[in-house]
Amino acid sequence: MLVGEEDFTTSVTRKADAVFSMARSREALALFESLSLPIINPPVGLRNARRSVLTDSFAKYAVPMPPTWTVQGADDLPEPTFPCWLKRADACAQSADDVCYVENQAQLRREWAKFQKKGIKEAIVCKHVAGDLLKFYGVEGSGFFYFYYPTADGGFSKFGLERHNGKAHKYAFDTARLTAEAERASRLLHLPVYGGDCIVEPDGSFYFIDFNDWPSFSCCREAASAAIAARVLRAIEHNESFRNYEQQPGSDIQVAGYGRMA
């Protein structure tokens, strides 16, 4: 069954074997955390997708990322190498000015002040890395991983920020290692369905600059949908639940799907 994010109740899930969700609201996460069901993506993963948590986790477990600092107060700004990026850390970007390309310390202070006026109390500062920008999509444990160059062939740009990386040169790099690192990050964050962005330098080094839940899969939907469906079935088969729920046997699989309905 498919239910809008505003309309679900706990009664909807009583006959479900799993929850397949794109919901992010506080109410949705609170409901999901009360359930003893496999959930894709689970609430713990959505909470881990905050940029501040992601930054700390990647630093702790040596997931490749550019030098990055967390900012939480008016006097908490670092003095990074410029240019750099200022990004809201409490949620994914809601508008173009939630991610700023910054060229000097004075501009960094101005942009952080704007964030604070909008009520954004936490941000990250990330060093700009020159190189090829890649967007990637994956489904943990499925063997599905896809990437492409958004600046090649006039590709789509959500906020136009990709222009700062310029034309794609398609530098050679270890694709197997990128896939393995993305899989490792997805397990670390508990985000089995994931996507993100990375930069590949001319020498083949790469760094993750974003990692998130439920990307569009717009250029690989057919293959991705099969992988996602298989991943949901695996979650049911192995009873994947952060509450270690003992699933009752049954022949029919019912999946409660949640999302923002158009």
Side-chain angles (χ1 to χ4, degrees):
M1 66 186 74
L2 179 63
V3 181
E5 187 173 10
E6 308 82 11
D7 302 323
F8 61 77
T9 64
T10 53
S11 62
V12 174
T13 63
R14 287 175 183 168
K15 295 182 180 180
D17 293 291
V19 173
F20 175 69
S21 168
M22 297 181 185
R24 292 175 176 168
S25 70
R26 292 181 180 179
E27 294 79 9
L29 297 188
L31 169 60
F32 296 156
E33 287 173 335
S34 73
L35 302 176
S36 296
L37 292 172
I39 300 174
I40 303 292
N41 280 318
V44 63
L46 297 178
R47 298 193 189 283
N48 286 341
R50 291 169 56 100
R51 283 197 174 103
S52 55
V53 177
L54 186 151
T55 296
D56 291 344
S57 299
F58 281 12
K60 182 177 180 179
Y61 293 98
V63 177
M65 68 175 180
T68 304
W69 301 264
T70 300
V71 179
Q72 293 181 319
D75 300 320
D76 196 29
L77 286 175
E79 295 187 7
T81 301
F82 293 97
C84 66
W85 295 86
L86 178 68
K87 305 177 182 182
R88 71 180 299 167
D90 58 334
C92 59
Q94 308 296 310
S95 61
D97 56 1
D98 286 345
V99 179
C100 303
Y101 181 76
V102 180
E103 297 181 290
N104 54 60
Q105 192 72 25
Q107 184 187 3
L108 180 60
R109 291 189 178 279
R110 288 195 303 270
E111 297 299 339
W112 174 229
K114 292 178 185 177
F115 273 31
Q116 291 177 298
K117 287 182 179 180
K118 292 194 299 181
I120 298 173
K121 298 179 180 180
E122 188 175 38
I124 66 161
V125 174
C126 173
K127 179 184 176 181
H128 175 72
V129 178
D132 286 342
L133 173 65
L134 299 184
K135 287 190 176 293
F136 59 85
Y137 308 97
V139 180
E140 180 269 326
S142 71
F144 173 80
F145 187 80
Y146 181 91
F147 68 86
Y148 76 104
Y149 299 87
T151 58
D153 304 319
F156 169 77
S157 173
K158 185 176 181 180
F159 296 130
L161 298 173
E162 290 85 353
R163 70 183 183 277
H164 293 290
N165 286 91
K167 180 181 177 181
H169 295 84
K170 300 186 178 180
Y171 300 125
F173 68 97
D174 188 339
T175 57
R177 180 169 173 258
L178 174 63
T179 303
E181 288 289 355
E183 284 278 293
R184 185 164 72 94
S186 74
R187 294 188 179 101
L188 174 65
L189 298 171
H190 301 288
L191 283 176
V193 179
Y194 65 89
D197 301 67
C198 74
I199 302 294
V200 178
E201 293 186 305
D203 67 358
S205 301
F206 61 81
Y207 304 93
F208 294 120
I209 58 172
D210 197 10
F211 205 97
N212 50 65
D213 67 293
W214 289 115
S216 68
F217 293 100
S218 59
C219 51
C220 53
R221 285 176 181 165
E222 186 172 344
S225 61
I228 293 168
R231 185 64 182 82
V232 172
L233 292 175
R234 193 184 95 191
I236 296 171
E237 179 182 356
H238 295 283
N239 190 33
E240 294 181 16
S241 172
F242 72 97
R243 295 171 66 104
N244 197 28
Y245 173 64
E246 185 68 25
Q247 183 176 319
Q248 298 298 318
S251 58
D252 294 323
I253 294 174
Q254 296 293 326
V255 177
Y258 292 105
R260 293 178 174 83
M261 299 180 67

